[in-house]
Amino acid sequence: MQRGNRALHGTVLAGCVAAVASVATPLAAQTVVTVNATQIFGTIDPAKINDYTEYMAGVNLYEALTTVDGDGAIQPLLAESWTVSEDTLTYTFTLKQGVTFQDGSPVEAKDVVYSVERLLAINQGPSYLFEGVLGDGAVTALDERTVEFALNDVFTPFLTMTPILFVLNSDVAEANATADDPWAETFVANTAIGAGAYRLDSWSRGATMVMKKVDGYHLGWDDQAIDELRFVVTNEEATVKALAAAGTLSMSSDSQAQETYDSIGRLPDYRIVTYPTATNFYFKLNNQRPPTDDVNIRRALAYATDYDTIREVLLPGEPLAGPMPPVFADAYLDSLEAPVFDLERARALVEASVYAGQGPIDIEMMYVAGLAFEEEIALLMKSILDTIGFNTILKPEPWNRMTELASAIETTPAMTQVFYGATYPSPDSFFFTQYHSRAQGTWASMEWILDPEVDALIDQARGTADIAEQNEIYKALQRKLVDDQVAVFLLTQRSQQAFHRCLQGFTWVPMQSFEFNFHTMKWVCD
């Protein structure tokens, strides 16, 4: 579940409070909830979304053939059922009868075909996950309610990825396509044309997004349903506290400062919900650029990290021994030892590196500008690293700039603070997305490992139908990635969020932002 890093966009206190003043008390005929997000909504196009706010929008505006529950199990959504051929190369889905898009037109098999072909043609967002899996003509409509996926090869994680194959209204998209824009990217960038529970009402980029419930939604509504969602984008701790003090805030982000949670938690109408996650927090290390191209430097950085202070003071979390948390228990390598803070060993490794004896070693650490705890972590690391031979250069950047820098080896800094969680409920999500050569060039893959042995292990796991054998491959992957110290494995996040007492029904889901499907939540107050 990451989310992309929780990147930030600052707003002024007075402006944010004014923006939601009209819904300060969610009563009367319409139930309105106000949700704080700390990262801008970059896009709502299902073929391009790739971080936590974008998926938070997507899961409310669009639907896929399947969804995922709190246990990570795949559940039917637009599809009522499916079958898998004996050789696991053909998946056939039967669509639920009576489901309509937000304009009232029926969801048909042709819309699924169009949506997948559009995703692969645009080649952004989650398309790379299906590279080599779905070829030209792989998805066909057998009739109005039946759609077939013919895979190129055995691909064990396929079903776990189907919840992110959001379905668009193909008739509307095609009506808004042009010769220069054959997939209607301009139109879909600004207009939601899905079958989700909520429709897009307004969107002020970098400030607010408003959605309203869709009458006739196929899963129905009850009298405690949420009529309107209002997302307010701000990283200002004072703003979030002011929204809560006014009674306007319904749900905070999970990336506030601890003092903000403590302050809101003391208010009579609020509770702080703490829950374990499958989201890891890393220092991603660029394995191809100096000085982190030297494994001794990478290991030194791991030993020079004060894990206890970070986990217990700056960012609540559980120890993390490797690239994957134990949420996928059967695939988890439980013999990995938790990393330790040992400055003497760190100093010795710096002296053993190819960069020793050249004066202080310049090393950049990038983090999200304005995110208080990431700045505190960066300052802590600088205070340590500068004592063992480094000149630590702190590099705060807005999230959109960080994603741009991550697109090339030469512009990706040596160290970057990044959250990453399962994008789909499979161990493959932690390995392919972050470490395979074909997935490089995103915020999730700033390590730039480019290791044929790692690629081969990931490919082998993806094509192995025997789950026990597959899990052994995942364990070998974890051992290699830890031995090579491809990143600093800091913690598995223990999330906190402030909730208004009237907002109930939140359930964490091990898939990026799928817990923020507001159709599953209720406003229990009159």
Side-chain angles (χ1 to χ4, degrees), residues 283-286 289-307 310 339-343 345-347 349-350 361-365 381-382 384-386 388-390 392 414-416 485-490:
F283 294 153
K284 288 186 172 285
L285 308 178
N286 187 335
R289 279 191 64 193
T292 44
D293 57 345
D294 187 329
V295 68
N296 287 310
I297 292 293
R298 299 198 298 271
R299 290 170 179 162
L301 296 172
Y303 279 117
T305 299
D306 186 349
Y307 301 93
I310 293 172
V340 296
F341 179 36
D342 187 331
L343 268 184
R345 292 176 75 175
R347 185 176 287 107
L349 284 162
V350 172
I361 302 166
D362 287 346
I363 187 166
E364 283 188 329
M365 170 175 269
M381 289 303 298
K382 178 174 175 59
I384 296 169
L385 296 178
D386 287 1
I388 60 169
F390 291 98
T392 310
M415 301 178 71
T416 305
Q485 197 69 65
V486 299
V488 177
F489 309 109
L490 285 153

Side-chain angles (χ1 to χ4, degrees), residues 499-512:
F499 283 82
H500 193 283
R501 64 180 177 82
C502 298
L503 183 61
Q504 300 288 335
F506 173 83
T507 301
W508 177 76
V509 174
M511 188 163 180
Q512 184 166 235

Side-chain angles (χ1 to χ4, degrees), residues 462-492:
R462 294 182 126 207
T464 299
D466 184 304
I467 299 303
E469 182 182 344
Q470 184 187 68
N471 287 336
E472 291 306 308
I473 300 170
Y474 287 136
K475 290 175 182 178
L477 266 168
Q478 290 166 77
R479 171 54 64 192
K480 176 168 177 53
L481 294 167
V482 169
D483 287 349
D484 291 347
Q485 197 69 65
V486 299
V488 177
F489 309 109
L490 285 153
L491 56 87
T492 299

Side-chain angles (χ1 to χ4, degrees), residues 113-154:
V113 175
Y114 174 87
S115 300
V116 177
E117 289 180 346
R118 182 178 185 273
L119 170 69
L120 299 178
I122 291 174
N123 196 30
Q124 297 183 40
S127 64
Y128 69 94
L129 297 173
F130 302 95
E131 181 186 343
V133 177
L134 297 174
D136 292 341
V139 188
T140 54
L142 303 185
D143 56 43
E144 288 186 353
R145 292 185 53 218
T146 311
V147 61
E148 181 180 275
F149 289 74
L151 277 56
N152 289 338
D153 295 296
V154 173

Side-chain angles (χ1 to χ4, degrees), residues 66-399:
T66 64
T67 188
V68 63
D69 65 18
D71 295 322
I74 300 301
Q75 300 292 341
L77 191 54
L78 294 179
E80 65 179 17
S81 63
W82 56 86
T83 60
V84 184
S85 64
E86 188 173 347
D87 61 6
T88 72
L89 292 176
T90 304
Y91 290 73
T92 306
F93 295 84
T94 300
L95 298 182
K96 180 179 175 182
Q97 272 190 316
V99 181
T100 63
F101 288 109
Q102 292 169 357
D103 67 355
S105 60
V107 176
E108 297 177 344
K110 67 173 184 177
D111 300 301
V112 179
V113 175
Y114 174 87
S115 300
V116 177
E117 289 180 346
R118 182 178 185 273
L119 170 69
L120 299 178
I122 291 174
N123 196 30
Q124 297 183 40
S127 64
Y128 69 94
L129 297 173
F130 302 95
E131 181 186 343
V133 177
L134 297 174
D136 292 341
V139 188
T140 54
L142 303 185
D143 56 43
E144 288 186 353
R145 292 185 53 218
T146 311
V147 61
E148 181 180 275
F149 289 74
L151 277 56
N152 289 338
D153 295 296
V154 173
F155 182 57
T156 309
F158 176 72
L159 193 61
T160 69
M161 294 179 178
T162 53
I164 60 177
L165 290 174
F166 291 131
V167 177
L168 295 81
N169 188 325
S170 60
D171 289 340
V172 174
E174 289 174 339
N176 287 277
T178 66
D180 293 331
D181 185 7
W183 295 106
E185 294 178 56
T186 300
F187 179 77
V188 178
N190 300 286
T191 309
I193 53 172
Y198 292 89
R199 62 176 176 81
L200 182 65
D201 185 67
S202 65
W203 180 14
S204 175
R205 282 169 170 75
T208 60
M209 178 180 285
V210 177
M211 303 179 190
K212 293 187 177 180
K213 78 174 186 181
V214 176
D215 294 332
Y217 174 61
H218 70 102
L219 294 181
W221 301 98
D222 62 29
D223 58 5
Q224 293 181 320
I226 296 163
D227 297 300
E228 182 175 312
L229 307 175
R230 183 169 295 240
F231 298 96
V232 177
V233 181
T234 179
N235 66 322
E236 295 288 341
E237 304 290 341
T239 302
V240 178
K241 288 188 282 188
L243 291 171
T248 300
L249 183 71
S250 304
M251 186 180 82
S252 77
S253 75
D254 62 354
S255 55
Q256 310 299 150
Q258 185 61 48
E259 189 277 330
T260 297
Y261 293 121
D262 294 342
S263 175
I264 295 175
R266 289 191 290 269
L267 297 173
D269 283 340
Y270 289 88
R271 68 192 190 281
I272 305 301
V273 175
T274 302
Y275 53 94
T277 75
T279 298
N280 293 340
F281 187 53
Y282 308 90
F283 294 153
K284 288 186 172 285
L285 308 178
N286 187 335
N287 286 218
Q288 302 299 320
R289 279 191 64 193
T292 44
D293 57 345
D294 187 329
V295 68
N296 287 310
I297 292 293
R298 299 198 298 271
R299 290 170 179 162
L301 296 172
Y303 279 117
T305 299
D306 186 349
Y307 301 93
D308 288 345
T309 296
I310 293 172
R311 286 194 304 256
E312 296 172 11
V313 179
L314 302 179
L315 178 64
E318 304 300 327
L320 179 65
M324 187 180 79
V327 63
F328 301 108
D330 293 339
Y332 180 69
L333 182 61
D334 57 12
S335 62
L336 293 175
E337 296 181 0
V340 296
F341 179 36
D342 187 331
L343 268 184
E344 290 308 309
R345 292 176 75 175
R347 185 176 287 107
L349 284 162
V350 172
E351 292 171 356
S353 77
V354 297
Y355 299 104
Q358 303 175 24
I361 302 166
D362 287 346
I363 187 166
E364 283 188 329
M365 170 175 269
M366 184 164 67
Y367 61 94
V368 179
L371 194 53
F373 70 84
E374 289 201 3
E375 181 179 13
E376 291 169 350
I377 290 171
L379 291 169
L380 172 65
M381 289 303 298
K382 178 174 175 59
S383 71
I384 296 169
L385 296 178
D386 287 1
T387 68
I388 60 169
F390 291 98
N391 172 39
T392 310
I393 303 163
L394 302 186
K395 189 177 177 64
E397 296 282 1
W399 179 243

